[in-house]
mmCIF file with all atom_site columns, all heavy atoms in Angstrom:
data_model
loop_
_atom_site.group_PDB
_atom_site.id
_atom_site.type_symbol
_atom_site.label_atom_id
_atom_site.label_alt_id
_atom_site.label_comp_id
_atom_site.label_asym_id
_atom_site.label_entity_id
_atom_site.label_seq_id
_atom_site.pdbx_PDB_ins_code
_atom_site.Cartn_x
_atom_site.Cartn_y
_atom_site.Cartn_z
_atom_site.occupancy
_atom_site.B_iso_or_equiv
_atom_site.pdbx_formal_charge
_atom_site.auth_seq_id
_atom_site.auth_comp_id
_atom_site.auth_asym_id
_atom_site.auth_atom_id
_atom_site.pdbx_PDB_model_num
ATOM 1   N N   . GLU R 1 1  ? 0.807  -1.204 -0.018 1.00 0.00 ? 22 GLU R N   1
ATOM 2   C CA  . GLU R 1 1  ? 0.008  -0.010 -0.033 1.00 0.00 ? 22 GLU R CA  1
ATOM 3   C C   . GLU R 1 1  ? 0.835  1.228  -0.033 1.00 0.00 ? 22 GLU R C   1
ATOM 4   O O   . GLU R 1 1  ? 0.308  2.368  -0.112 1.00 0.00 ? 22 GLU R O   1
ATOM 5   C CB  . GLU R 1 1  ? -0.955 0.035  1.187  1.00 0.00 ? 22 GLU R CB  1
ATOM 6   C CG  . GLU R 1 1  ? -1.854 -1.220 1.293  1.00 0.00 ? 22 GLU R CG  1
ATOM 7   C CD  . GLU R 1 1  ? -2.568 -1.337 2.703  1.00 0.00 ? 22 GLU R CD  1
ATOM 8   O OE1 . GLU R 1 1  ? -2.354 -0.352 3.510  1.00 0.00 ? 22 GLU R OE1 1
ATOM 9   O OE2 . GLU R 1 1  ? -3.173 -2.296 2.951  1.00 0.00 ? 22 GLU R OE2 1
ATOM 10  N N   . LEU R 1 2  ? 2.146  1.101  0.141  1.00 0.00 ? 23 LEU R N   1
ATOM 11  C CA  . LEU R 1 2  ? 2.989  2.295  0.406  1.00 0.00 ? 23 LEU R CA  1
ATOM 12  C C   . LEU R 1 2  ? 4.354  2.021  -0.319 1.00 0.00 ? 23 LEU R C   1
ATOM 13  O O   . LEU R 1 2  ? 4.971  0.980  -0.062 1.00 0.00 ? 23 LEU R O   1
ATOM 14  C CB  . LEU R 1 2  ? 3.191  2.630  1.801  1.00 0.00 ? 23 LEU R CB  1
ATOM 15  C CG  . LEU R 1 2  ? 3.876  3.919  2.223  1.00 0.00 ? 23 LEU R CG  1
ATOM 16  C CD1 . LEU R 1 2  ? 3.066  5.147  1.689  1.00 0.00 ? 23 LEU R CD1 1
ATOM 17  C CD2 . LEU R 1 2  ? 4.070  4.009  3.727  1.00 0.00 ? 23 LEU R CD2 1
ATOM 18  N N   . ASP R 1 3  ? 4.869  3.004  -1.029 1.00 0.00 ? 24 ASP R N   1
ATOM 19  C CA  . ASP R 1 3  ? 6.247  2.952  -1.631 1.00 0.00 ? 24 ASP R CA  1
ATOM 20  C C   . ASP R 1 3  ? 6.801  4.394  -1.678 1.00 0.00 ? 24 ASP R C   1
ATOM 21  O O   . ASP R 1 3  ? 6.189  5.381  -1.162 1.00 0.00 ? 24 ASP R O   1
ATOM 22  C CB  . ASP R 1 3  ? 6.251  2.260  -2.915 1.00 0.00 ? 24 ASP R CB  1
ATOM 23  C CG  . ASP R 1 3  ? 5.351  2.973  -3.953 1.00 0.00 ? 24 ASP R CG  1
ATOM 24  O OD1 . ASP R 1 3  ? 5.033  4.139  -3.795 1.00 0.00 ? 24 ASP R OD1 1
ATOM 25  O OD2 . ASP R 1 3  ? 5.026  2.291  -4.867 1.00 0.00 ? 24 ASP R OD2 1
ATOM 26  N N   . ALA R 1 4  ? 8.041  4.444  -2.240 1.00 0.00 ? 25 ALA R N   1
ATOM 27  C CA  . ALA R 1 4  ? 8.646  5.707  -2.359 1.00 0.00 ? 25 ALA R CA  1
ATOM 28  C C   . ALA R 1 4  ? 7.889  6.763  -3.183 1.00 0.00 ? 25 ALA R C   1
ATOM 29  O O   . ALA R 1 4  ? 7.973  7.996  -2.873 1.00 0.00 ? 25 ALA R O   1
ATOM 30  C CB  . ALA R 1 4  ? 10.090 5.583  -2.931 1.00 0.00 ? 25 ALA R CB  1
ATOM 31  N N   . ASP R 1 5  ? 7.173  6.284  -4.167 1.00 0.00 ? 26 ASP R N   1
ATOM 32  C CA  . ASP R 1 5  ? 6.396  7.218  -4.988 1.00 0.00 ? 26 ASP R CA  1
ATOM 33  C C   . ASP R 1 5  ? 5.099  7.743  -4.219 1.00 0.00 ? 26 ASP R C   1
ATOM 34  O O   . ASP R 1 5  ? 4.654  8.879  -4.542 1.00 0.00 ? 26 ASP R O   1
ATOM 35  C CB  . ASP R 1 5  ? 5.876  6.539  -6.264 1.00 0.00 ? 26 ASP R CB  1
ATOM 36  C CG  . ASP R 1 5  ? 7.107  6.199  -7.136 1.00 0.00 ? 26 ASP R CG  1
ATOM 37  O OD1 . ASP R 1 5  ? 8.113  6.926  -7.156 1.00 0.00 ? 26 ASP R OD1 1
ATOM 38  O OD2 . ASP R 1 5  ? 7.008  5.186  -7.872 1.00 0.00 ? 26 ASP R OD2 1
ATOM 39  N N   . SER R 1 6  ? 4.552  6.939  -3.356 1.00 0.00 ? 27 SER R N   1
ATOM 40  C CA  . SER R 1 6  ? 3.329  7.274  -2.765 1.00 0.00 ? 27 SER R CA  1
ATOM 41  C C   . SER R 1 6  ? 3.483  7.880  -1.293 1.00 0.00 ? 27 SER R C   1
ATOM 42  O O   . SER R 1 6  ? 2.552  8.456  -0.695 1.00 0.00 ? 27 SER R O   1
ATOM 43  C CB  . SER R 1 6  ? 2.334  6.132  -2.653 1.00 0.00 ? 27 SER R CB  1
ATOM 44  O OG  . SER R 1 6  ? 2.918  5.017  -1.885 1.00 0.00 ? 27 SER R OG  1
ATOM 45  N N   . ALA R 1 7  ? 4.708  7.817  -0.766 1.00 0.00 ? 28 ALA R N   1
ATOM 46  C CA  . ALA R 1 7  ? 4.988  8.359  0.561  1.00 0.00 ? 28 ALA R CA  1
ATOM 47  C C   . ALA R 1 7  ? 4.923  9.850  0.491  1.00 0.00 ? 28 ALA R C   1
ATOM 48  O O   . ALA R 1 7  ? 5.516  10.481 -0.339 1.00 0.00 ? 28 ALA R O   1
ATOM 49  C CB  . ALA R 1 7  ? 6.375  7.914  1.002  1.00 0.00 ? 28 ALA R CB  1
ATOM 50  N N   . GLY R 1 8  ? 4.072  10.446 1.349  1.00 0.00 ? 29 GLY R N   1
ATOM 51  C CA  . GLY R 1 8  ? 3.822  11.830 1.386  1.00 0.00 ? 29 GLY R CA  1
ATOM 52  C C   . GLY R 1 8  ? 4.536  12.597 2.610  1.00 0.00 ? 29 GLY R C   1
ATOM 53  O O   . GLY R 1 8  ? 5.418  11.935 3.269  1.00 0.00 ? 29 GLY R O   1
ATOM 54  N N   . GLU R 1 9  ? 4.216  13.842 2.864  1.00 0.00 ? 30 GLU R N   1
ATOM 55  C CA  . GLU R 1 9  ? 4.836  14.575 3.943  1.00 0.00 ? 30 GLU R CA  1
ATOM 56  C C   . GLU R 1 9  ? 4.561  13.920 5.304  1.00 0.00 ? 30 GLU R C   1
ATOM 57  O O   . GLU R 1 9  ? 5.474  14.024 6.118  1.00 0.00 ? 30 GLU R O   1
ATOM 58  C CB  . GLU R 1 9  ? 4.215  16.020 3.890  1.00 0.00 ? 30 GLU R CB  1
ATOM 59  C CG  . GLU R 1 9  ? 4.639  16.837 2.710  1.00 0.00 ? 30 GLU R CG  1
ATOM 60  C CD  . GLU R 1 9  ? 4.100  18.254 2.758  1.00 0.00 ? 30 GLU R CD  1
ATOM 61  O OE1 . GLU R 1 9  ? 3.432  18.582 3.792  1.00 0.00 ? 30 GLU R OE1 1
ATOM 62  O OE2 . GLU R 1 9  ? 4.294  19.055 1.856  1.00 0.00 ? 30 GLU R OE2 1
ATOM 63  N N   . ASP R 1 10 ? 3.420  13.396 5.521  1.00 0.00 ? 31 ASP R N   1
ATOM 64  C CA  . ASP R 1 10 ? 3.151  12.766 6.845  1.00 0.00 ? 31 ASP R CA  1
ATOM 65  C C   . ASP R 1 10 ? 4.034  11.547 7.129  1.00 0.00 ? 31 ASP R C   1
ATOM 66  O O   . ASP R 1 10 ? 4.639  11.356 8.169  1.00 0.00 ? 31 ASP R O   1
ATOM 67  C CB  . ASP R 1 10 ? 1.664  12.385 6.946  1.00 0.00 ? 31 ASP R CB  1
ATOM 68  C CG  . ASP R 1 10 ? 0.769  13.517 7.046  1.00 0.00 ? 31 ASP R CG  1
ATOM 69  O OD1 . ASP R 1 10 ? 1.248  14.688 7.324  1.00 0.00 ? 31 ASP R OD1 1
ATOM 70  O OD2 . ASP R 1 10 ? -0.438 13.397 6.817  1.00 0.00 ? 31 ASP R OD2 1
ATOM 71  N N   . GLU R 1 11 ? 4.148  10.778 6.099  1.00 0.00 ? 32 GLU R N   1
ATOM 72  C CA  . GLU R 1 11 ? 5.016  9.538  6.162  1.00 0.00 ? 32 GLU R CA  1
ATOM 73  C C   . GLU R 1 11 ? 6.452  9.950  6.338  1.00 0.00 ? 32 GLU R C   1
ATOM 74  O O   . GLU R 1 11 ? 7.237  9.393  7.340  1.00 0.00 ? 32 GLU R O   1
ATOM 75  C CB  . GLU R 1 11 ? 4.862  8.593  4.984  1.00 0.00 ? 32 GLU R CB  1
ATOM 76  C CG  . GLU R 1 11 ? 3.537  7.903  4.861  1.00 0.00 ? 32 GLU R CG  1
ATOM 77  C CD  . GLU R 1 11 ? 2.460  8.775  4.296  1.00 0.00 ? 32 GLU R CD  1
ATOM 78  O OE1 . GLU R 1 11 ? 2.681  9.872  3.890  1.00 0.00 ? 32 GLU R OE1 1
ATOM 79  O OE2 . GLU R 1 11 ? 1.276  8.327  4.370  1.00 0.00 ? 32 GLU R OE2 1
ATOM 80  N N   . LEU R 1 12 ? 6.925  10.851 5.657  1.00 0.00 ? 33 LEU R N   1
ATOM 81  C CA  . LEU R 1 12 ? 8.296  11.264 5.772  1.00 0.00 ? 33 LEU R CA  1
ATOM 82  C C   . LEU R 1 12 ? 8.587  12.048 7.063  1.00 0.00 ? 33 LEU R C   1
ATOM 83  O O   . LEU R 1 12 ? 9.672  11.956 7.552  1.00 0.00 ? 33 LEU R O   1
ATOM 84  C CB  . LEU R 1 12 ? 8.722  12.222 4.552  1.00 0.00 ? 33 LEU R CB  1
ATOM 85  C CG  . LEU R 1 12 ? 8.698  11.497 3.135  1.00 0.00 ? 33 LEU R CG  1
ATOM 86  C CD1 . LEU R 1 12 ? 9.090  12.457 2.094  1.00 0.00 ? 33 LEU R CD1 1
ATOM 87  C CD2 . LEU R 1 12 ? 9.601  10.355 3.131  1.00 0.00 ? 33 LEU R CD2 1
ATOM 88  N N   . ALA R 1 13 ? 7.590  12.757 7.607  1.00 0.00 ? 34 ALA R N   1
ATOM 89  C CA  . ALA R 1 13 ? 7.713  13.392 8.847  1.00 0.00 ? 34 ALA R CA  1
ATOM 90  C C   . ALA R 1 13 ? 7.922  12.332 9.954  1.00 0.00 ? 34 ALA R C   1
ATOM 91  O O   . ALA R 1 13 ? 8.699  12.553 10.928 1.00 0.00 ? 34 ALA R O   1
ATOM 92  C CB  . ALA R 1 13 ? 6.530  14.304 9.082  1.00 0.00 ? 34 ALA R CB  1
ATOM 93  N N   . THR R 1 14 ? 7.138  11.229 9.816  1.00 0.00 ? 35 THR R N   1
ATOM 94  C CA  . THR R 1 14 ? 7.376  10.203 10.840 1.00 0.00 ? 35 THR R CA  1
ATOM 95  C C   . THR R 1 14 ? 8.801  9.606  10.800 1.00 0.00 ? 35 THR R C   1
ATOM 96  O O   . THR R 1 14 ? 9.375  9.374  11.830 1.00 0.00 ? 35 THR R O   1
ATOM 97  C CB  . THR R 1 14 ? 6.314  9.063  10.614 1.00 0.00 ? 35 THR R CB  1
ATOM 98  O OG1 . THR R 1 14 ? 5.021  9.491  10.790 1.00 0.00 ? 35 THR R OG1 1
ATOM 99  C CG2 . THR R 1 14 ? 6.611  7.852  11.567 1.00 0.00 ? 35 THR R CG2 1
ATOM 100 N N   . LEU R 1 15 ? 9.304  9.387  9.561  1.00 0.00 ? 36 LEU R N   1
ATOM 101 C CA  . LEU R 1 15 ? 10.603 8.913  9.394  1.00 0.00 ? 36 LEU R CA  1
ATOM 102 C C   . LEU R 1 15 ? 11.705 9.900  9.988  1.00 0.00 ? 36 LEU R C   1
ATOM 103 O O   . LEU R 1 15 ? 12.725 9.495  10.504 1.00 0.00 ? 36 LEU R O   1
ATOM 104 C CB  . LEU R 1 15 ? 10.934 8.569  7.918  1.00 0.00 ? 36 LEU R CB  1
ATOM 105 C CG  . LEU R 1 15 ? 10.151 7.472  7.386  1.00 0.00 ? 36 LEU R CG  1
ATOM 106 C CD1 . LEU R 1 15 ? 10.537 7.178  5.933  1.00 0.00 ? 36 LEU R CD1 1
ATOM 107 C CD2 . LEU R 1 15 ? 10.183 6.138  8.147  1.00 0.00 ? 36 LEU R CD2 1
ATOM 108 N N   . ASP R 1 16 ? 11.483 11.157 9.698  1.00 0.00 ? 37 ASP R N   1
ATOM 109 C CA  . ASP R 1 16 ? 12.349 12.162 10.292 1.00 0.00 ? 37 ASP R CA  1
ATOM 110 C C   . ASP R 1 16 ? 12.353 12.208 11.784 1.00 0.00 ? 37 ASP R C   1
ATOM 111 O O   . ASP R 1 16 ? 13.455 12.305 12.443 1.00 0.00 ? 37 ASP R O   1
ATOM 112 C CB  . ASP R 1 16 ? 11.944 13.546 9.763  1.00 0.00 ? 37 ASP R CB  1
ATOM 113 C CG  . ASP R 1 16 ? 12.270 13.788 8.242  1.00 0.00 ? 37 ASP R CG  1
ATOM 114 O OD1 . ASP R 1 16 ? 13.121 13.007 7.713  1.00 0.00 ? 37 ASP R OD1 1
ATOM 115 O OD2 . ASP R 1 16 ? 11.634 14.664 7.710  1.00 0.00 ? 37 ASP R OD2 1
ATOM 116 N N   . GLU R 1 17 ? 11.211 11.998 12.354 1.00 0.00 ? 38 GLU R N   1
ATOM 117 C CA  . GLU R 1 17 ? 11.078 11.957 13.835 1.00 0.00 ? 38 GLU R CA  1
ATOM 118 C C   . GLU R 1 17 ? 11.813 10.706 14.358 1.00 0.00 ? 38 GLU R C   1
ATOM 119 O O   . GLU R 1 17 ? 12.550 10.824 15.378 1.00 0.00 ? 38 GLU R O   1
ATOM 120 C CB  . GLU R 1 17 ? 9.657  11.923 14.305 1.00 0.00 ? 38 GLU R CB  1
ATOM 121 C CG  . GLU R 1 17 ? 9.471  11.860 15.798 1.00 0.00 ? 38 GLU R CG  1
ATOM 122 C CD  . GLU R 1 17 ? 7.934  11.694 16.154 1.00 0.00 ? 38 GLU R CD  1
ATOM 123 O OE1 . GLU R 1 17 ? 7.104  11.697 15.221 1.00 0.00 ? 38 GLU R OE1 1
ATOM 124 O OE2 . GLU R 1 17 ? 7.633  11.572 17.379 1.00 0.00 ? 38 GLU R OE2 1
ATOM 125 N N   . PHE R 1 18 ? 11.700 9.657  13.655 1.00 0.00 ? 39 PHE R N   1
ATOM 126 C CA  . PHE R 1 18 ? 12.370 8.397  14.039 1.00 0.00 ? 39 PHE R CA  1
ATOM 127 C C   . PHE R 1 18 ? 13.817 8.572  13.921 1.00 0.00 ? 39 PHE R C   1
ATOM 128 O O   . PHE R 1 18 ? 14.565 8.170  14.918 1.00 0.00 ? 39 PHE R O   1
ATOM 129 C CB  . PHE R 1 18 ? 11.919 7.301  13.027 1.00 0.00 ? 39 PHE R CB  1
ATOM 130 C CG  . PHE R 1 18 ? 12.681 6.046  13.217 1.00 0.00 ? 39 PHE R CG  1
ATOM 131 C CD1 . PHE R 1 18 ? 12.459 5.190  14.294 1.00 0.00 ? 39 PHE R CD1 1
ATOM 132 C CD2 . PHE R 1 18 ? 13.594 5.693  12.168 1.00 0.00 ? 39 PHE R CD2 1
ATOM 133 C CE1 . PHE R 1 18 ? 13.203 4.016  14.390 1.00 0.00 ? 39 PHE R CE1 1
ATOM 134 C CE2 . PHE R 1 18 ? 14.288 4.464  12.324 1.00 0.00 ? 39 PHE R CE2 1
ATOM 135 C CZ  . PHE R 1 18 ? 14.134 3.674  13.364 1.00 0.00 ? 39 PHE R CZ  1
ATOM 136 N N   . LEU R 1 19 ? 14.410 9.187  12.917 1.00 0.00 ? 40 LEU R N   1
ATOM 137 C CA  . LEU R 1 19 ? 15.837 9.384  12.815 1.00 0.00 ? 40 LEU R CA  1
ATOM 138 C C   . LEU R 1 19 ? 16.394 10.333 13.881 1.00 0.00 ? 40 LEU R C   1
ATOM 139 O O   . LEU R 1 19 ? 17.457 10.079 14.504 1.00 0.00 ? 40 LEU R O   1
ATOM 140 C CB  . LEU R 1 19 ? 16.228 10.038 11.425 1.00 0.00 ? 40 LEU R CB  1
ATOM 141 C CG  . LEU R 1 19 ? 16.028 9.066  10.193 1.00 0.00 ? 40 LEU R CG  1
ATOM 142 C CD1 . LEU R 1 19 ? 16.237 9.936  8.929  1.00 0.00 ? 40 LEU R CD1 1
ATOM 143 C CD2 . LEU R 1 19 ? 16.940 7.897  10.291 1.00 0.00 ? 40 LEU R CD2 1
ATOM 144 N N   . ASP R 1 20 ? 15.611 11.347 14.256 1.00 0.00 ? 41 ASP R N   1
ATOM 145 C CA  . ASP R 1 20 ? 15.963 12.145 15.370 1.00 0.00 ? 41 ASP R CA  1
ATOM 146 C C   . ASP R 1 20 ? 16.122 11.461 16.630 1.00 0.00 ? 41 ASP R C   1
ATOM 147 O O   . ASP R 1 20 ? 16.999 11.634 17.447 1.00 0.00 ? 41 ASP R O   1
ATOM 148 C CB  . ASP R 1 20 ? 14.960 13.287 15.559 1.00 0.00 ? 41 ASP R CB  1
ATOM 149 C CG  . ASP R 1 20 ? 15.047 14.379 14.415 1.00 0.00 ? 41 ASP R CG  1
ATOM 150 O OD1 . ASP R 1 20 ? 16.110 14.409 13.692 1.00 0.00 ? 41 ASP R OD1 1
ATOM 151 O OD2 . ASP R 1 20 ? 14.110 15.140 14.169 1.00 0.00 ? 41 ASP R OD2 1
ATOM 152 N N   . ALA R 1 21 ? 15.119 10.550 16.874 1.00 0.00 ? 42 ALA R N   1
ATOM 153 C CA  . ALA R 1 21 ? 15.135 9.694  18.152 1.00 0.00 ? 42 ALA R CA  1
ATOM 154 C C   . ALA R 1 21 ? 16.303 8.733  18.134 1.00 0.00 ? 42 ALA R C   1
ATOM 155 O O   . ALA R 1 21 ? 16.908 8.503  19.170 1.00 0.00 ? 42 ALA R O   1
ATOM 156 C CB  . ALA R 1 21 ? 13.870 8.945  18.279 1.00 0.00 ? 42 ALA R CB  1
ATOM 157 N N   . LEU R 1 22 ? 16.707 8.198  16.946 1.00 0.00 ? 43 LEU R N   1
ATOM 158 C CA  . LEU R 1 22 ? 17.913 7.366  16.897 1.00 0.00 ? 43 LEU R CA  1
ATOM 159 C C   . LEU R 1 22 ? 19.157 8.163  17.244 1.00 0.00 ? 43 LEU R C   1
ATOM 160 O O   . LEU R 1 22 ? 19.989 7.734  18.068 1.00 0.00 ? 43 LEU R O   1
ATOM 161 C CB  . LEU R 1 22 ? 18.015 6.789  15.532 1.00 0.00 ? 43 LEU R CB  1
ATOM 162 C CG  . LEU R 1 22 ? 17.358 5.554  15.160 1.00 0.00 ? 43 LEU R CG  1
ATOM 163 C CD1 . LEU R 1 22 ? 17.536 5.235  13.630 1.00 0.00 ? 43 LEU R CD1 1
ATOM 164 C CD2 . LEU R 1 22 ? 17.761 4.343  16.046 1.00 0.00 ? 43 LEU R CD2 1
ATOM 165 N N   . GLU R 1 23 ? 19.283 9.316  16.635 1.00 0.00 ? 44 GLU R N   1
ATOM 166 C CA  . GLU R 1 23 ? 20.500 10.163 16.849 1.00 0.00 ? 44 GLU R CA  1
ATOM 167 C C   . GLU R 1 23 ? 20.549 10.566 18.353 1.00 0.00 ? 44 GLU R C   1
ATOM 168 O O   . GLU R 1 23 ? 21.699 10.681 18.880 1.00 0.00 ? 44 GLU R O   1
ATOM 169 C CB  . GLU R 1 23 ? 20.535 11.307 15.997 1.00 0.00 ? 44 GLU R CB  1
ATOM 170 C CG  . GLU R 1 23 ? 20.651 10.911 14.546 1.00 0.00 ? 44 GLU R CG  1
ATOM 171 C CD  . GLU R 1 23 ? 21.075 12.082 13.609 1.00 0.00 ? 44 GLU R CD  1
ATOM 172 O OE1 . GLU R 1 23 ? 21.252 13.181 14.165 1.00 0.00 ? 44 GLU R OE1 1
ATOM 173 O OE2 . GLU R 1 23 ? 21.199 11.905 12.342 1.00 0.00 ? 44 GLU R OE2 1
ATOM 174 N N   . ALA R 1 24 ? 19.451 10.847 18.963 1.00 0.00 ? 45 ALA R N   1
ATOM 175 C CA  . ALA R 1 24 ? 19.422 11.228 20.302 1.00 0.00 ? 45 ALA R CA  1
ATOM 176 C C   . ALA R 1 24 ? 19.599 10.130 21.317 1.00 0.00 ? 45 ALA R C   1
ATOM 177 O O   . ALA R 1 24 ? 19.898 10.301 22.526 1.00 0.00 ? 45 ALA R O   1
ATOM 178 C CB  . ALA R 1 24 ? 18.108 11.985 20.704 1.00 0.00 ? 45 ALA R CB  1
ATOM 179 N N   . GLY R 1 25 ? 19.603 8.891  20.815 1.00 0.00 ? 46 GLY R N   1
ATOM 180 C CA  . GLY R 1 25 ? 19.773 7.679  21.679 1.00 0.00 ? 46 GLY R CA  1
ATOM 181 C C   . GLY R 1 25 ? 18.473 7.362  22.397 1.00 0.00 ? 46 GLY R C   1
ATOM 182 O O   . GLY R 1 25 ? 18.534 6.550  23.325 1.00 0.00 ? 46 GLY R O   1
#
């Protein structure tokens, strides 16, 4: 139901939040 072409701002915002949490430990 989801791939790189269909991923929108909300999905990418979740991934950005996830990366921030990884970097913060």
Side-chain angles (χ1 to χ4, degrees):
E22 303 169 5
L23 186 65
D24 58 19
D26 293 330
S27 59
E30 292 184 1
D31 290 343
E32 288 81 8
L33 295 180
T35 295
L36 296 183
D37 288 340
E38 181 185 358
F39 171 75
L40 291 173
D41 289 342
L43 273 177
E44 292 196 3

